[in-house]
Amino acid sequence: MKIKKICCEDARNLDIVHVLAKLGHYPSKTTVKEAWFLSPLRSETQASFHVSYRNNRWYDFGLGKGGNCLDLIIALKQCSITEALQFLANDQQLSFTDIKKPSLSFHKQISKKEKEGINILCVQELSNFQLLRYAKKRGIPRELIRELTSEVHFELHGKPYYAIGLQNRRGGYELRNAFYKASSSPKSYSYFQQDGNGLIITEGLFDYLSLALLDPELFFTHDHIILNSLSFIQEIIKGFDGYNDPILLCLDHDPAGDRMTSYLLEHFAQAIDLRYRFYPHKDLNEKLCHVRRENTL
């Protein structure tokens, strides 16, 4: 196989937000000018890794260091410049052409006309083939994804896009497609009340949907909070007093999820850690995808 090459200048100018998305890191908060991430370089519970859309530069406030995209890969992989360039050019990882293709590009200069952030154009029944294919890849069948989410068309920096959308309690939308993970304002957690026997807390849209397939009886007999960001945990615990029944925790198996689960177990007697149900997988969606692969063998 012929290995593509990329020069240092091109590597430095690659879109940092999109490269992070390719590596599985998504913003906790976005504005017109910037994005905030949980640091990919260390463990933390509050997002302090900053990316400027205008300058296409990152800065980790916890480490006190930053730079361009090439610097980031060197820091992430603890590798040399040559190895970082090979990584970025590798077709099976992050080819330069793939990074230039995406539905989003943030590092260009933003004009006054474009300084509007995410603008929702319309919300409709999910029917887009690409979005349905993406949901299927995540293990979610057409019938379920269409019943519990919407197809959201929106504008970002003056350009039109579309995504699977889950509405939060304040009217904003969590937006997901194969290339992009973000939310429209106002950002908040999602809450679905079914007058159930208790409350289930998951971190994200696909964990919520995965639970409906892994344990439908549990799913349809409980209320649900989808955090959309761990930063909303202090806001949701104000409503815990309204639940005498168990509060079932399905947060991720990662350092942030571990710390948050421990905190809730310590402070709320009705909290129960349900993560053993998808161990050793990181989250419910990873468990679902594993089960589906096993069933097709």
Side-chain angles (χ1 to χ4, degrees), residues 19-35:
V19 171
L20 284 169
K22 284 276 191 176
L23 292 168
H25 302 284
Y26 301 100
S28 296
K29 177 183 177 182
T30 59
T31 69
V32 174
K33 297 181 180 180
E34 61 193 5

Side-chain angles (χ1 to χ4, degrees), residues 128-253:
N128 181 275
F129 172 76
Q130 296 293 340
L131 296 179
L132 291 171
R133 186 168 70 171
Y134 170 59
K136 184 179 180 180
K137 185 177 180 181
R138 300 290 298 264
I140 310 299
R142 173 191 297 260
E143 296 76 14
L144 181 64
I145 194 77
R146 293 186 70 183
E147 180 179 352
L148 298 179
T149 68
S150 302
E151 180 178 318
V152 180
H153 290 251
F154 61 98
E155 251 184 357
L156 178 63
H157 298 169
K159 293 184 178 181
Y161 304 100
Y162 52 84
I164 297 168
L166 180 73
Q167 192 170 34
N168 66 44
R169 71 178 190 91
R170 297 179 62 193
Y173 281 87
E174 296 301 308
L175 303 169
R176 304 288 184 272
N177 62 37
F179 300 102
Y180 187 55
K181 177 179 179 180
S183 57
S184 67
S185 296
K187 185 171 175 63
S188 185
Y189 60 88
S190 301
Y191 178 50
F192 299 104
Q193 190 170 13
Q194 302 182 134
D195 297 321
N197 300 321
L199 176 68
I200 300 175
I201 301 175
T202 50
E203 286 198 29
L205 163 62
F206 282 100
D207 294 325
Y208 166 68
L209 295 171
S210 297
L211 184 61
L213 296 164
L214 292 169
D215 195 333
E217 182 177 355
L218 186 72
F219 181 88
F220 290 106
T221 56
H222 288 71
D223 298 344
H224 291 268
I225 284 179
I226 303 95
L227 286 170
N228 300 322
S229 169
L230 286 176
S231 63
F232 291 116
I233 200 73
Q234 293 299 326
E235 188 174 342
I236 71 162
I237 61 178
K238 298 174 185 177
F240 283 4
D241 290 341
Y243 284 92
N244 296 318
D245 292 313
I247 297 173
L248 306 178
L249 309 177
C250 294
L251 306 182
D252 289 357
H253 277 298

Side-chain angles (χ1 to χ4, degrees), residues 16 20 23-26 37-44 46-51 58-79 255 259:
I16 293 172
L20 284 169
L23 292 168
H25 302 284
Y26 301 100
F37 295 76
L38 292 172
S39 175
L41 302 174
R42 56 193 171 82
S43 297
E44 63 174 352
Q46 296 294 324
S48 63
F49 185 93
H50 175 263
V51 178
W58 61 274
Y59 187 82
D60 190 319
F61 283 84
L63 294 177
K65 62 186 294 186
N68 55 47
C69 186
L70 182 57
D71 298 324
L72 177 58
I73 295 301
I74 291 171
L76 272 171
K77 299 294 180 181
Q78 294 291 295
C79 63
R259 286 192 292 269

